[in-house]
């Protein structure tokens, strides 16, 4: 049960984040008219690189452009991280715990599944990508609201929270890392109009543009954007906020107090919360943004593995040892 609830939330969160990344990059093209093949490649390649699917993409497509990258990230079943694949897996996990989620949650995830599997899904996308990706995002928002409002806030709900915020922290780090892979034509362009538009796109990919402006009330400054998305205390998509939330949910499951640990998952999440609490943007710049985000992604992977080992994986039972233990106890 824990495994299905955990992955149901992770896959749905992943589909939502990919939808917002692709949507923002399609809208960015409107600001850069008349791009040639080379510039289009430089525009789309960072998305695939940041998601770690570069090798698979190169096997399936000959070049990076609007058509190939959006198809790879949206509809391609051979890509396990496409929106279509994620929604199929999210719905499959929801089906396996049908008795643990509310009717409203099941109806919403099933409705989204039927929408993406419908024969005219690509036609809807062709008529308006903005409306298509908004459908994915709004359905995810609705599902999260239903999860909060229609199920008991017990262990099952906490496993959903762990999956959702682990995935969200990872995706925020990858969205921020997209900027590292974007190559500006020259050093003179740093801080220029193109640079500013790209940093604004990073914020919009996380729905963070307005929240950033409220916080800083100033022009876009790269180090402030990075600081906001990594260390923002109150913004629900910052990496620190997500890790703190998943750490809290892990402690709710075990019953141990926050600040202490009873298993390796809590130990790793608590350590990452501490790292993010006592670090600042100066530490990120000293390490290098890309290198720092790589370390964060590695630690998030370790937390995911620890959750699996502690709550989901059950090793093969040795029948002879089991009988021997029972005989000793009698």
């Amino acid at each position: 049960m824990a495994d299905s609830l955990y992955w149901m939330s992770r896959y749905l969160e992943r589909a939502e984040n990919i939808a917002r990344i692709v949507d923002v990059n399609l809208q960015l093209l409107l600001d850069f008219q008349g791009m040639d093949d080379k510039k289009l490649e430089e525009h789309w390649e960072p998305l695939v690189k940041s998601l770690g699917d570069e090798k698979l993409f190169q096997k399936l497509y000959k070049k990076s452009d609007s058509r190939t990258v959006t198809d790879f990230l949206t509809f391609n079943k051979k890509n396990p991280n496409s929106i279509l694949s994620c929604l199929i897996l999210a719905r499959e996990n929801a089906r396996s715990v049908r008795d643990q989620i509310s009717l409203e949650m099941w109806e919403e995830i099933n409705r989204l599944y039927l929408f993406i599997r419908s024969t005219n899904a690509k036609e809807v996308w062709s008529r308006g990508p903005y409306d298509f990706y908004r459908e994915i995002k709004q359905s995810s928002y609705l599902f999260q609201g239903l999860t909060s409002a229609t199920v008991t806030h017990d262990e099952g709900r906490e496993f959903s929270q762990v999956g959702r915020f682990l995935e969200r922290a990872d995706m925020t780090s990858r969205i921020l890392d997209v900027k590292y892979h974007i190559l500006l034509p020259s050093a003179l362009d740093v801080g220029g109009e193109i640079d500013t538009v790209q940093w604004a796109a990073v914020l919009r990919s996380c729905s963070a543009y307005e929240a950033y402006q409220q916080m800083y009330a100033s022009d876009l400054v790269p180090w402030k954007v990075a600081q906001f998305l990594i260390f923002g205390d109150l913004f629900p998509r910052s990496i620190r906020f997500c890790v703190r939330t998943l750490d809290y949910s892990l402690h709710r499951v075990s019953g141990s107090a926050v600040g202490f640990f009873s298993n390796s998952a809590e130990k790793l999440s608590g350590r990452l919360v501490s790292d993010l609490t006592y670090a600042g943007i100066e530490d990120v710049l000293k390490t290098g943004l890309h290198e720092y985000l790589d370390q964060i992604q590695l630690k998030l992977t370790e937390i995911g593995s620890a959750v699996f080992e502690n709550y989901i994986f059950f090793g093969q039972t040795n029948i002879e040892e089991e009988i021997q233990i029972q005989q000793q106890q009698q």
Side-chain angles (χ1 to χ4, degrees), residues 204-216:
R204 288 197 174 94
S205 294
C206 297
S207 296
Y209 188 75
E210 289 76 19
Y212 172 87
Q213 288 187 318
Q214 290 169 8
M215 173 69 75
Y216 293 105

Side-chain angles (χ1 to χ4, degrees), residues 190-255:
V190 176
E193 183 180 354
I194 296 177
D195 197 31
T196 301
V197 170
Q198 289 172 344
W199 279 109
V202 170
L203 284 170
R204 288 197 174 94
S205 294
C206 297
S207 296
Y209 188 75
E210 289 76 19
Y212 172 87
Q213 288 187 318
Q214 290 169 8
M215 173 69 75
Y216 293 105
S218 64
D219 294 335
L220 292 179
V221 180
W223 71 265
K224 286 184 178 178
V225 174
Q227 177 175 269
F228 185 73
L229 292 180
I230 296 173
F231 301 111
D233 270 334
L234 302 177
F235 184 64
R237 292 188 176 278
S238 80
I239 296 174
R240 179 189 285 174
F241 185 98
C242 293
V243 174
R244 205 171 56 218
T245 304
L246 76 88
D247 180 65
Y248 174 77
S249 289
L250 284 174
H251 284 82
R252 285 263 298 165
V253 171
S254 70

Side-chain angles (χ1 to χ4, degrees), residues 242-302:
C242 293
V243 174
R244 205 171 56 218
T245 304
L246 76 88
D247 180 65
Y248 174 77
S249 289
L250 284 174
H251 284 82
R252 285 263 298 165
V253 171
S254 70
S256 63
V258 174
F260 299 86
F261 65 89
S262 61
N263 57 53
S264 58
E266 291 172 5
K267 182 179 180 180
L268 291 168
S269 65
R271 184 178 290 167
L272 185 51
V273 170
S274 179
D275 289 347
L276 291 166
T277 300
Y278 294 104
I281 193 62
E282 61 280 359
D283 299 297
V284 176
L285 298 177
K286 187 177 178 180
T287 305
L289 177 61
H290 174 66
E291 290 73 15
Y292 188 86
L293 293 173
D294 261 357
Q295 292 174 14
I296 293 287
Q297 288 165 18
L298 179 61
K299 291 173 182 176
L300 291 171
T301 300
E302 290 174 346

Side-chain angles (χ1 to χ4, degrees), residues 91-150:
R91 191 256 193 185
E92 185 61 24
N93 278 281
R95 190 185 61 78
S96 66
V97 287
R98 178 67 187 82
D99 59 336
Q100 299 294 321
I101 62 177
S102 66
L103 175 63
E104 291 84 353
M105 290 169 66
W106 168 250
E107 287 180 344
E108 182 55 30
I109 202 167
N110 198 44
R111 187 196 65 77
L112 184 59
Y113 166 82
L114 293 174
F115 167 72
I116 196 77
R117 293 299 300 268
S118 63
T119 53
N120 68 340
K122 285 191 176 182
E123 293 177 12
V124 174
W125 185 92
S126 299
R127 287 199 300 270
Y130 174 75
D131 290 335
F132 177 88
Y133 292 116
R134 185 176 61 178
E135 177 72 24
I136 306 294
K137 290 183 284 183
Q138 290 190 338
S139 181
S140 176
Y141 299 153
L142 178 56
F143 188 83
Q144 291 173 41
L146 290 170
T147 304
S148 179
T150 63

